[in-house]
Amino acid sequence: MKQNATPLLDALQQLAEMNPISFHVPGHKNGGIFPENAQTYFNSILKLDMTELPGLDDLHSPHGVIAEAQNLAAEYFRADATYFLVGGSTAGNLAMILATCSTNEKVIVQRNSHKSIFNGLELSGARPVFIAPEFNNSADRYTAPSSTTLKDALKQHPDAKAVVLTYPDYFGKTFPIKESIELAHEYNIPVLVDEAHGVHFSIDNAFPQSALDLGADVVIHSAHKMAPAMTMGSFLHFRSGLVSKEKITHYLQLIQSSSPSYPLMASLDIARSFLATMKVEDIDNIMESVAMVRDILEVPELWDILSANDQLKITLHLKEGVSAKGVASILENQHVYPELVTHNQVLLIHGLAPFENINHLKKAVKRIKEQLKICPNHATIEADNLFTDRIHELAVSYQTIQQLDTLKVPLNKSSGYVAAEAIVPYPPGIPLILKGERITDKHINIIRHLSEQGVEIQHRDITNGISVLNIKE
C-alpha cells in the first residue's frame, strides 16, 4: 500500500468539489448556515464536515475509505488492526480496559497512570492492583515501576487479567518496557500501553521503539500530541493473541460517538501519511533544530535542561528559589506557551519540523533573565516517598464506594478518610489521590504546596474541602 495516499481526505475533497446540496446533517449545511464573523476560520473545514454519505463509509462498520485509511495506518504502525479514535486517547484507554476485564477481576496498573485509565477501571468494576513507580532523582519525579516490582506483583496476582503501563511519561522518559511485557506474557497476561505521547516512536531509528514493536498487545497513540492531527485524534493499535479483537470493536462502538467528525478522521489519515513519508534528512533537520532551541534555552543560573529519551521534550528544571510559574508567566506574556508547568519544572515540546521563530524565543528568554526574581526562601516539595507500598490496592472497592455516603471535609482534616473523588493536578492528569484511596498527611502537604504554586487541581476547588467516604480508620 502506498503510504503517501490519503483515501479518506481524498473522498471528502472530491465530494466538496461537487458543491453538493445538503438535505442532511450537520446543520451548518456545508458552511452555508454560519455566522459571518466566524466564516474566515471555519469556511474551508466546514466543507469537509460531512456525515455518512455514500462513498464516505462508516467508522463503526468500515468497508470503504475509512477501512482503507485504517488499514494504511495498521500497515505503517505494524499492527494487526488500527482503529481511528475521535474521543482522544481517553476513548482508547477506556475500550482496552473494558475489553480485558470486568467486575472484581484483577488488573495490575501503574500507579502514576493518566486519569482515563482509572476511569476505565471504575467503569469496568475491576479490582486494580497498583504497582508504584520508582522515584528518579535526576528527573526529580516518579517515572515507571521497576521490573522487580512488576515481577513481584505477577507472582502475587497471577490471575490478573491485564497489565496496564504508561510509556513514555509526559516528559518523554522511557523505561525498559520490553522486559515488563515479556514478564507479563510469561503468565499469559496481556499488556495494555497508554503510549499517548509516543506516536512518533513509529519513525524508525530516530526515537525510542514503540511498545507495539516491543510486543505490547494494545497500544494507544494520541496522534494530535506530536503528529499533525486535530485535537482528539488518536489511534488504537491491536496486535495480540491474548485480547479479543471483537471486544475491542464492541467497546469502541459503545464509547465513541455515532456521529464522528470527518475532518478529525481525515486528519488521522493525514498524520499517518506525514509520519510514514518522513525522510532521513527531515529527521536530521529536526534534530539540528532541537539542538539549537536547547542552546537558546540554556540559562544555567536559573535552570537545568534535563535529558530525555525523546529529544523533542525539553524540560527546564528550575534551580532552588526560581519560580516555575514565574518563568511560564513571562514566556506567556511574550506569547510563548509551554505545554506543562509543575511546581519546579517547565515542559516545552518541539514539533516534528524545524523551529523558525528563533528571534522571538531569544527575546522571551532575555525577558526572563531581566525580569525574574529569585527568592532564596522558595519552598520546595518532597514527594520521593509518596508511594510507600510498592504493591497495593484501593482501601475501598468501586462497588463499595457506590453504596456509601459521602461528606465534604476541609483539606487539613481529611487525613485518614477514604477519598470519594480523585484529586488530579492538570496537566498532566495523573491523580495524586485516587477515588477509593486513603488520604495521608503527605497527600495533604503536596496538595497544599501545589495550590500555593498555582498548579490547577482539575474540576475541584479544594478550598471548599474534599469529598470523602463517611468512614474513617
Side-chain angles (χ1 to χ4, degrees):
M1 301 176 79
K2 294 182 179 179
Q3 286 296 331
N4 60 350
T6 52
L8 179 53
L9 174 65
D10 294 347
L12 288 168
Q13 289 176 326
Q14 289 168 11
L15 183 57
E17 288 168 1
M18 296 176 185
N19 294 315
I21 297 173
S22 171
F23 279 103
H24 55 77
V25 297
H28 58 70
K29 301 297 181 182
N30 304 329
I33 303 174
F34 213 71
E36 186 175 350
N37 65 330
Q39 287 180 4
T40 300
Y41 289 104
F42 277 87
N43 252 0
S44 59
I45 199 70
L46 291 177
K47 295 182 186 302
L48 302 182
D49 188 26
M50 301 289 188
T51 188
E52 289 83 354
L53 301 177
L56 294 186
D57 209 356
D58 180 350
L59 177 63
H60 296 295
S61 182
H63 294 92
V65 289
I66 293 177
E68 186 178 350
Q70 291 187 148
N71 288 338
L72 279 164
E75 178 187 75
Y76 169 65
F77 288 102
R78 297 175 288 276
D80 290 343
T82 292
Y83 301 87
F84 284 2
L85 305 177
V86 294
S89 287
T90 292
N93 285 340
L94 296 179
M96 70 181 183
I97 290 172
L98 290 167
T100 51
C101 59
S102 56
T103 304
N104 289 324
E105 291 183 330
K106 296 179 187 176
V107 184
I108 298 173
V109 185
Q110 181 174 332
R111 172 57 182 82
N112 57 334
S113 296
H114 188 264
K115 63 177 183 176
S116 58
I117 295 293
F118 301 107
N119 291 341
L121 294 170
E122 182 175 354
L123 287 173
S124 71
R127 176 183 160 191
V129 176
F130 299 111
I131 49 175
E134 299 294 310
F135 190 83
N136 186 302
N137 288 304
S138 61
D140 195 30
R141 62 177 181 271
Y142 286 97
T143 52
S146 69
S147 58
T148 300
T149 299
L150 176 58
K151 185 182 294 185
D152 290 344
L154 289 165
K155 287 180 180 177
Q156 294 176 30
H157 305 279
D159 55 340
K161 297 299 181 180
V163 171
V164 183
L165 300 172
T166 300
Y167 170 96
D169 69 8
Y170 211 101
F171 299 84
K173 196 80 171 176
T174 63
F175 66 99
I177 194 171
K178 181 178 176 63
E179 183 178 354
S180 297
I181 294 169
E182 292 174 347
L183 283 171
H185 284 173
E186 289 177 8
Y187 290 82
N188 289 321
I189 298 175
V191 179
L192 318 178
V193 180
D194 178 358
E195 195 172 287
H197 290 267
V199 68
H200 55 302
F201 286 8
S202 58
I203 303 173
D204 290 338
N205 303 321
F207 301 100
Q209 281 186 282
S210 169
L212 188 66
D213 289 328
L214 296 173
D217 297 85
V218 182
V219 173
I220 309 300
H221 279 151
S222 284
H224 66 95
K225 290 281 197 297
M226 299 301 296
M230 292 176 66
T231 298
M232 293 177 70
S234 298
F235 299 114
L236 183 152
H237 307 295
F238 172 90
R239 189 168 72 185
S240 178
L242 299 173
V243 178
S244 166
K245 183 179 176 182
E246 289 71 25
K247 285 187 176 181
I248 291 285
T249 303
H250 169 70
Y251 283 107
L252 284 176
Q253 290 177 355
L254 288 185
I255 291 165
Q256 299 217 89
S257 171
S258 60
S259 301
S261 164
Y262 271 85
L264 200 160
M265 289 190 289
S267 78
L268 288 170
D269 199 16
I270 294 165
R272 181 271 313 154
S273 181
F274 174 86
L275 293 171
T277 56
M278 291 193 80
K279 299 179 176 62
V280 173
E281 53 265 36
D282 296 329
I283 299 299
D284 290 342
N285 291 336
I286 292 168
M287 292 310 175
E288 288 177 10
S289 176
V290 170
M292 177 194 65
V293 170
R294 286 176 177 266
D295 185 61
I296 294 171
L297 291 169
E298 281 285 354
V299 187
E301 66 271 24
L302 296 179
W303 57 66
D304 297 316
I305 300 180
L306 301 184
S307 61
N309 306 96
D310 178 2
Q311 295 183 56
L312 300 184
K313 300 295 182 73
I314 303 173
T315 302
L316 310 182
H317 182 72
L318 286 304
K319 298 288 181 72
E320 185 174 348
V322 181
S323 166
K325 184 180 179 183
V327 170
S329 178
I330 296 172
L331 286 173
E332 289 162 4
N333 287 338
Q334 296 298 308
H335 305 295
V336 176
Y337 297 93
E339 167 66 17
L340 167 66
V341 181
T342 71
H343 69 287
N344 66 346
Q345 295 182 346
V346 177
L347 172 64
L348 302 101
I349 300 179
H350 191 293
L352 281 171
F355 181 74
E356 295 181 350
N357 297 312
I358 298 168
N359 291 332
H360 193 151
L361 181 60
K362 286 181 177 179
K363 179 182 176 182
V365 173
K366 182 180 178 182
R367 286 294 176 89
I368 292 174
K369 293 178 181 178
E370 294 171 347
Q371 297 180 18
L372 195 66
K373 295 180 179 180
I374 299 176
C375 175
N377 296 321
H378 174 70
T380 59
I381 182 171
E382 296 180 2
D384 56 341
N385 63 346
L386 177 60
F387 304 120
T388 54
D389 298 320
R390 290 190 308 122
I391 303 170
H392 66 285
E393 300 185 47
L394 294 175
V396 178
S397 71
Y398 295 125
Q399 292 76 22
T400 303
I401 289 173
Q402 296 176 359
Q403 301 170 13
L404 295 175
D405 294 329
T406 64
L407 67 156
K408 186 158 285 189
V409 298
L411 173 65
N412 61 358
K413 296 183 179 179
S414 62
S415 183
Y417 282 101
V418 173
E421 60 181 348
I423 306 299
V424 187
Y426 192 88
I430 295 170
L432 179 61
I433 301 174
L434 296 173
K435 185 174 183 177
E437 192 169 42
R438 196 170 298 281
I439 301 170
T440 67
D441 290 336
K442 187 75 173 180
H443 288 137
I444 295 170
N445 291 335
I446 293 175
I447 293 170
R448 184 183 294 116
H449 183 87
L450 292 176
S451 298
E452 291 170 354
Q453 296 298 315
V455 176
E456 180 183 350
I457 306 297
Q458 193 173 47
H459 307 313
R460 300 289 183 268
D461 180 3
I462 59 172
T463 58
N464 293 328
I466 296 178
S467 293
V468 298
L469 300 179
N470 194 14
I471 56 173
K472 191 175 181 182
E473 61 179 358

